[in-house]
Amino acid sequence: MHVDFKEEQLQFADALKRWIARDYSFEQRRAIIGSEAGTSSEAWSTLAELGMTALPVPEAQGGFDGTAVDLFVVMQELGRGLVVEPYFATVLGAQFLKLGGAHAALLERVATGELKLACALGERQSRHELRDIATRAEQSGSGWRLSGAKSAVVHGAEAGVLVVSARSGGGQRDEAGITLFAVPLDAPGVQVTGYRTLDGQRAAEVRFDGVELPPDAVIGQPGAGWDILDACADYGAGLLCAEALGAMEALFEATLEYLKTRQQFGVPIGKFQALQHRMADMYIHLEQARSMALLAAVQLDGGDIGERRRVVSAAKYRVGQAARFIGQQAVQLHGGMGVTDELAAAHYFKRLSMIELTLGDRDHHLARFVAQPGFQQAA
């Protein structure tokens, strides 16, 4: 699929590319990961200054009301740069608030970069089924009392507000009875344990011990949060496809450069036909993943829910497939050094592996794609 990006989109991408090249090199990134915070306040301030935090926010709240395609070019560059700042978590949280139709004050703070968000959606038993929710929300006076636990919350400890899914009715795996909340991280009863993940990002385990919330903490309507949750999960998956594409592009280019410079038997190993075939296969996977990621981004801005689900799951599956192949081939072609911490290739492969597991892996999205209405008839 081909998309002609607008001049403004290309400007956003170019600004990010120049900043990453100047101030977010691989060694600078390693230093950030190794720091106690695991993220950089200076980098976050720069993202805000470049307008990245305002991009997904509606104009009424001081943002640019960016589309999924606008975010595509941003996530692609962040993927190329292996940026570990909590941008994806914040953008996804902002999408929940936008679809909820309220919380304008929070969105205004997101636009300026003052507020970071995180989405506490997964639980230990739920795997990739976000409707499998054991965290309970019970009415308490005019407000709500929240109890339960969330696992692997991306940048949970770095956020100021968490978007939390809880069950206020129905069975544990029902779509009905899900309520979404905006929960301040410093609310009494919220316990957060942060840690570093395999790919250098940050995540957290979060517990809610009788957290008292006001009525206006609800995102959308009580008991009717599934449609927003489903739409935002697809939105996030689409953005992850764009990030993975950027990482795969950088990994492919690094591998190609290595084959041109590494010599064996007096010639660059890129001269060997067998390795040229491998690079050709990697390129095919990369271009197919690019087409599917772009298609998903375009569809996220459409209005057909069924088509959105179908295309996003197809893209997440195909991008995950390409990421695994390109990552494995890159490591092999680099030899033993391909898995060392000193080489960027290893970091790209780790990030691609984590993207594959976030918001549904290949098996999950393949099953979801097959389950969409009309698949059996088309087959």
Side-chain angles (χ1 to χ4, degrees), residues 329-351:
Q329 293 299 315
V331 166
Q332 279 205 334
L333 292 170
H334 276 88
M337 64 185 293
V339 294
T340 61
D341 188 67
E342 291 77 13
L343 196 70
H347 293 255
Y348 280 112
F349 192 21
K350 289 176 182 178
R351 180 58 189 148

Side-chain angles (χ1 to χ4, degrees), residues 166-242:
R167 184 154 299 286
S168 56
Q172 183 171 312
R173 295 172 62 87
D174 289 348
E175 294 178 1
I178 296 174
T179 302
L180 303 170
F181 296 92
V183 182
L185 200 70
D186 59 359
V190 178
Q191 301 176 18
V192 182
T193 303
Y195 54 88
R196 188 172 75 181
T197 55
L198 176 71
D199 57 345
Q201 300 275 342
R202 304 288 299 181
E205 301 295 302
V206 184
R207 288 196 59 84
F208 305 99
D209 294 326
V211 179
E212 296 288 342
L213 298 172
D216 60 5
V218 174
I219 299 173
Q221 297 298 317
W226 170 250
D227 287 343
I228 294 178
L229 177 56
D230 185 49
C232 288
D234 280 347
Y235 183 82
L239 296 187
L240 288 175
C241 287

Side-chain angles (χ1 to χ4, degrees), residues 82-130:
L82 282 176
V83 176
V84 297
E85 310 311 316
Y87 186 76
F88 167 75
T90 299
V91 168
L92 183 57
Q95 185 70 5
F96 274 94
L97 299 182
K98 284 166 59 177
L99 296 186
H103 300 95
L106 294 183
L107 285 170
E108 289 173 1
R109 295 173 61 198
V110 169
T112 62
E114 176 189 350
L115 177 65
K116 302 170 187 174
L117 303 173
C119 301
L121 309 175
E123 302 182 3
R124 287 184 179 273
Q125 83 289 342
S126 63
R127 184 69 173 165
H128 301 302
E129 289 292 346
L130 296 183

Side-chain angles (χ1 to χ4, degrees), residues 41-54:
S41 58
E42 291 82 4
W44 184 257
S45 296
T46 301
L47 288 173
E49 291 171 6
L50 291 173
M52 302 305 160
T53 55

Side-chain angles (χ1 to χ4, degrees), residues 8-26:
E8 294 84 357
Q9 294 167 335
L10 296 176
Q11 288 174 345
F12 266 110
D14 185 61
L16 266 180
K17 188 179 299 183
R18 285 187 280 108
W19 167 67
I20 290 170
R22 184 184 66 247
D23 298 326
Y24 212 91
S25 67
F26 176 62

